[in-house]
Amino acid sequence: MEIKKVGVVGAGTMGNGIAQVFAAAGYDVLMRDIKDEFVARGLSTIKKNLERMVSRNKMAAEAKDAALANIHTTTELAPFADRDLIVEAALEEVSLKLQLFRELDGIAKPEAILATNTSSISVTKIAAATKRPGQVIGMHFFNPVPVMQLVEIVRALQTKEEVVATIEATGKKIGKTPHVVKDSFGFVVNRVLIPMVNEAVNCLYEGLTQPEDIDAVMKLGANHPMGPLALADLIGLDIILNVMETLYQGFEDPKYRPSPLLKQMVDAGYLGRKTGRGFFDYQ
Ligand code: CAA
């Protein structure tokens, strides 16, 4: 099946990044969020990102205009009826995602593929909420989406082989490097990466040193492009906690216990860049 028309559910950090990469690759993109202001914010982020690419000679001005012209927006789900592929990037809440997939299943054409960008929820469970479980798959992008090379393609227990092949080919067409993994708690990247971030939070909790030093030693000693606490702020502390809880409950293994400090930060609403405060200040 050839994918031409793409729907993106969610215009937040991940949703607008996903819409941008599809639009820049020539796909007709419909981006949806629940409020006009969320859609407008997502669109303005895309414009800024594309303009920055033009100013750095990474994209021609005409290509930027073409990409922007490929993006349409809505606050409804009904217009997704003509989409070949719908990528969901809404909030990380199980009940919300299951409800969304039930609705999308009712709206999307029978041959459409429904993908989720979830970072922690079972793709198998999401697939089971639909009447087309073989056409549900994980398309896990990384933040910042326009920069990060990987798309982790998550094969649910039910996903059909031809759907995996279509999504792999689509991942390549948008300039990413896809890798296919089986559905499991945290998939592969988050299962390895997020416990490392959680351990950095524990080092801070135990008072081993200051946030700046924790990040500096990991940058200098492990060659990471950014320190784990700055990375937590970029990803969002609520997402980090979500992934840790998924690993902890899923594997029933204490090695995945979320740091008490991480829980406190989330309780305080210090979620990182998106709230202006996390382990560092962004005001
Ligand atoms: N959107 C678009 N482009 C961005 C961007 C953003 N949010 N942030 C940075 N960039 C671009 C910059 O414009 C810059 O482009 P040029 O080369 O054209 O100048 C390029 O990326 C490099 O940026 P900077 O020079 O400002 O800074 P940097 O070299 O430190 O790179 C970084 C920034 C790409 C974020 C880098 O620090 C990095 O790779 N960090 C690790 C990110 C990471 O691990 N992400 C995965 C998180 S896990 C996840 O997302 C999955 C999940 O489910 C939780």
Side-chain angles (χ1 to χ4, degrees), residues 101-152:
F101 272 77
R102 267 183 225 115
E103 277 183 54
L104 288 170
D105 189 31
I107 290 166
K109 53 188 184 182
E111 64 276 25
I113 295 174
L114 307 182
T116 175
N117 177 56
T118 184
S119 50
S120 59
I121 297 166
S122 160
V123 182
T124 301
K125 189 185 242 178
I126 293 174
T130 72
K131 295 193 178 72
R132 63 178 89 199
Q135 286 154 249
V136 176
I137 192 163
M139 225 180 159
H140 186 207
F141 289 86
F142 295 83
N143 189 359
V145 179
V147 181
M148 302 296 287
Q149 270 304 301
L150 179 67
V151 184
E152 193 177 34

Side-chain angles (χ1 to χ4, degrees), residues 6 30 55 64-65 75 102 110 114 161 172 187 206 221 242:
V6 175
L30 181 61
S55 72
K64 176 203 75 174
D65 294 340
T75 52
R102 267 183 225 115
L114 307 182
E161 212 40 61
K172 286 181 188 156
F187 319 132
E206 291 169 21
N242 254 321

Side-chain angles (χ1 to χ4, degrees), residues 3-260:
I3 306 289
K4 287 189 175 146
K5 295 185 169 185
V6 175
V8 180
V9 180
T13 313
M14 298 305 287
N16 72 58
I18 294 167
Q20 181 185 320
V21 295
F22 273 102
Y27 289 86
D28 177 300
V29 177
L30 181 61
M31 179 174 75
R32 182 258 187 185
D33 213 314
I34 50 172
K35 285 189 186 170
D36 284 327
E37 62 187 279
F38 297 162
V39 170
R41 205 183 304 154
L43 201 53
S44 115
T45 302
I46 294 173
K47 273 187 195 150
K48 266 188 245 146
N49 275 337
L50 293 174
E51 275 158 13
R52 189 174 52 198
M53 287 172 79
V54 173
S55 72
R56 298 193 184 183
N57 290 325
K58 291 202 161 174
M59 184 182 249
E62 301 75 39
K64 176 203 75 174
D65 294 340
L68 286 174
N70 284 339
I71 303 176
H72 315 279
T73 60
T74 178
T75 52
E76 308 293 326
L77 282 181
F80 282 84
D82 70 345
R83 301 288 109 178
D84 305 312
L85 165 67
I86 301 172
V87 185
E88 170 274 326
L91 294 178
E92 281 292 282
E93 285 170 20
V94 182
S95 55
L96 174 89
K97 295 233 197 246
L98 296 182
Q99 179 55 29
L100 254 175
F101 272 77
R102 267 183 225 115
E103 277 183 54
L104 288 170
D105 189 31
I107 290 166
K109 53 188 184 182
E111 64 276 25
I113 295 174
L114 307 182
T116 175
N117 177 56
T118 184
S119 50
S120 59
I121 297 166
S122 160
V123 182
T124 301
K125 189 185 242 178
I126 293 174
T130 72
K131 295 193 178 72
R132 63 178 89 199
Q135 286 154 249
V136 176
I137 192 163
M139 225 180 159
H140 186 207
F141 289 86
F142 295 83
N143 189 359
V145 179
V147 181
M148 302 296 287
Q149 270 304 301
L150 179 67
V151 184
E152 193 177 34
I153 296 178
V154 184
R155 183 205 306 257
L157 208 58
Q158 310 95 318
T159 313
K160 287 190 236 158
E161 212 40 61
E162 62 260 33
V163 170
V164 175
T166 300
I167 294 303
E168 233 184 324
T170 307
K172 286 181 188 156
K173 282 188 193 154
I174 57 173
K176 301 293 181 199
T177 307
H179 281 269
V180 182
V181 304
K182 284 186 196 164
D183 186 26
S184 173
F185 309 111
F187 319 132
V188 172
V189 175
N190 283 344
R191 180 165 165 190
V192 175
L193 181 71
I194 305 300
M196 184 275 293
V197 171
N198 187 59
E199 208 50 35
V201 181
N202 274 329
C203 291
L204 182 64
Y205 182 58
E206 291 169 21
L208 301 192
T209 183
Q210 301 303 310
E212 292 77 7
D213 297 307
I214 292 171
D215 275 13
V217 297
M218 289 305 292
K219 279 161 74 177
L220 296 171
N223 245 0
H224 288 186
M226 69 200 302
L229 299 177
L231 181 61
D233 284 352
L234 175 74
I235 295 170
L237 272 56
D238 51 337
I239 301 288
I240 303 283
L241 182 58
N242 254 321
V243 175
M244 287 311 295
E245 278 171 347
T246 299
L247 295 171
Y248 187 41
Q249 287 155 20
F251 291 114
E252 297 180 24
D253 188 331
K255 78 177 173 188
Y256 296 116
R257 188 165 43 225
S259 168

